[in-house]
């Protein structure tokens, strides 16, 4: 059997990441050496998801894979984001890592952007759940025993009542028709706290629910990559966040 290729996994803390990681861990072609997560430098929370670093670290510990945190300034320009990413990947490349794994599903522009940036430093992208229908993915996710909570919703698509809910069949049934069941267009973000990739559940309690609206940056090319969405109108709408407090 050939030696597995060393890879990093772009970990968002949410359900798509969890399912994609589950699948890639079963693929003997790759060995995941590290989880890579971008964190808001100012607030020490996962970009867009708003999850505290302490809970991210608890996930990595339970998964059993080393965590690499990439600190990003709040609302960075595309240039700043790309420079930080390039420096981080160059550091990991020195450790023999040449593959970067993502939980993207169907955003073509986002995948092309990622692959273009990776090619600049001779990395290759891997997409374990690419083009699998999201209705199938969410049912597989639940059937595998994963548990995830909605930590952020975009008010363009969903109201406050959806944040803080566990994703189950009732949640799926309540989603409006224009909302993807996996939130692939940036409608909502999640935090996965239990499932087959974890050695133990992540313990937390639900804290305050807050509303936040981001200011449109002066540089219109500001990176929206952390949102995992190509929705250019994101700054026209606010977001509801559910704070999760480590226990």
């Amino acid at each position: 059997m050939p030696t597995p290729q060393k890879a990093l996994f772009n970990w968002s803390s949410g359900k798509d990441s969890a399912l994609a990681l589950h699948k890639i861990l079963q693929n003997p072609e790759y060995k995941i050496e590290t989880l890579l997560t971008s964190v808001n430098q100012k607030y020490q929370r996962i970009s867009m998801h708003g999850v505290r670093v302490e809970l991210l670290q608890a996930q990595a510990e339970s998964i059993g894979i080393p965590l690499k945190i990439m600190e990003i300034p709040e609302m960075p320009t595309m240039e700043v984001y790309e420079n930080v990413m390039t420096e981080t990947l160059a550091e990991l490349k020195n450790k023999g890592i040449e593959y970067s794994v993502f939980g993207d599903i169907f955003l073509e522009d986002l995948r092309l952007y990622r692959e273009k940036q990776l090619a600049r430093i001779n990395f290759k992208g891997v997409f374990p759940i690419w083009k699998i229908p999201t209705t199938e993915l969410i049912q597989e996710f639940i059937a595998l025993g994963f548990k995830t909570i909605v930590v952020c919703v975009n008010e363009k698509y969903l109201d406050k009542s959806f944040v803080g809910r566990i994703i189950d069949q009732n949640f799926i049934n309540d989603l409006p028709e224009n909302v993807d069941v996996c939130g692939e267009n940036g409608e909502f973000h999640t935090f996965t706290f239990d499932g087959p990739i974890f050695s133990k559940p992540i313990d937390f309690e639900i804290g305050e629910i807050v509303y936040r609206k981001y200011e449109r940056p002066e540089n219109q090319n500001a990176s929206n990559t952390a949102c995992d969405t190509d929705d250019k109108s994101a700054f026209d709408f606010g977001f509801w966040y559910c704070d999760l407090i480590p226990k």
Side-chain angles (χ1 to χ4, degrees):
M1 181 179 294
T3 303
Q5 302 288 346
K6 292 183 178 181
L8 68 90
F9 190 93
N10 294 273
W11 179 254
S12 73
S13 81
K15 58 176 177 39
D16 299 338
S17 271
L19 186 56
L21 179 58
H22 175 69
K23 289 182 179 294
I24 202 71
L25 288 174
Q26 296 176 329
N27 187 335
E29 295 180 24
Y30 301 98
K31 183 178 187 300
I32 303 301
E33 298 285 339
T34 186
L35 304 177
L36 177 63
T37 306
S38 61
V39 167
N40 183 303
Q41 193 174 51
K42 179 179 179 180
Y43 296 105
Q44 289 297 295
R45 292 175 182 256
I46 299 172
S47 301
M48 280 311 298
H49 291 229
V51 173
R52 298 172 187 237
V53 166
E54 294 92 336
L55 288 171
L56 167 64
Q57 292 168 332
Q59 282 184 322
E61 181 181 345
S62 182
I63 293 169
I65 298 176
L67 173 67
K68 173 72 174 176
I69 290 177
M70 185 175 69
E71 293 194 346
I72 303 291
E74 188 173 21
M75 302 312 297
T77 63
M78 186 69 81
E79 182 181 7
V80 168
Y81 177 87
E82 290 176 354
N83 286 342
V84 174
M85 177 63 78
T86 299
E87 290 174 6
T88 303
L89 292 182
E91 177 185 335
L92 293 172
K93 191 175 180 65
N94 288 335
K95 299 180 180 180
I97 298 174
E98 294 184 341
Y99 289 82
S100 186
V101 187
F102 298 91
D104 299 329
I105 305 172
F106 60 67
L107 296 180
E108 299 278 1
D109 288 350
L110 184 57
R111 175 168 177 165
L112 289 173
Y113 169 79
R114 296 200 198 283
E115 291 179 327
K116 180 181 178 181
Q117 296 305 310
L118 291 172
R120 292 169 54 188
I121 49 176
N122 296 318
F123 262 75
K124 299 180 181 68
V126 182
F127 301 82
I129 58 176
W130 184 250
K131 291 298 185 181
I132 300 176
T134 52
T135 50
E136 292 182 19
L137 287 175
I138 197 65
Q139 294 300 332
E140 180 181 6
F141 180 85
I142 294 172
L144 284 168
F146 279 109
K147 295 180 181 178
T148 197
I149 183 171
V150 178
V151 292
C152 170
V153 301
N154 185 335
E155 70 172 352
K156 177 181 178 182
Y157 303 101
L158 296 169
D159 61 41
K160 179 182 179 181
S161 68
F162 283 89
V163 75
R165 289 183 60 178
I166 302 294
I167 291 189
D168 55 15
Q169 199 58 51
N170 288 331
F171 176 88
I172 295 168
N173 294 341
D174 289 344
L175 288 174
E177 289 186 4
N178 66 324
V179 172
D180 179 72
V181 292
C182 284
E184 178 70 349
N185 297 303
E187 299 100 326
F188 60 91
H189 298 288
T190 59
F191 175 78
T192 302
F193 57 91
D194 199 5
I197 60 174
F198 298 104
S199 62
K200 61 180 180 180
I202 312 303
D203 206 7
F204 64 89
E205 58 185 34
I206 296 177
E208 187 180 8
I209 293 177
V210 299
Y211 178 83
R212 185 176 184 191
K213 190 167 185 177
Y214 295 92
E215 293 183 10
R216 187 180 297 274
E218 295 180 8
N219 181 352
Q220 293 299 308
N221 291 322
S223 172
N224 199 30
T225 307
C227 305
D228 283 347
T229 173
D230 59 0
D231 184 359
K232 302 302 187 294
S233 64
F235 298 105
D236 297 331
F237 299 90
F239 296 82
W240 287 103
Y241 287 93
C242 175
D243 190 20
L244 303 183
I245 303 170
K247 291 177 68 176

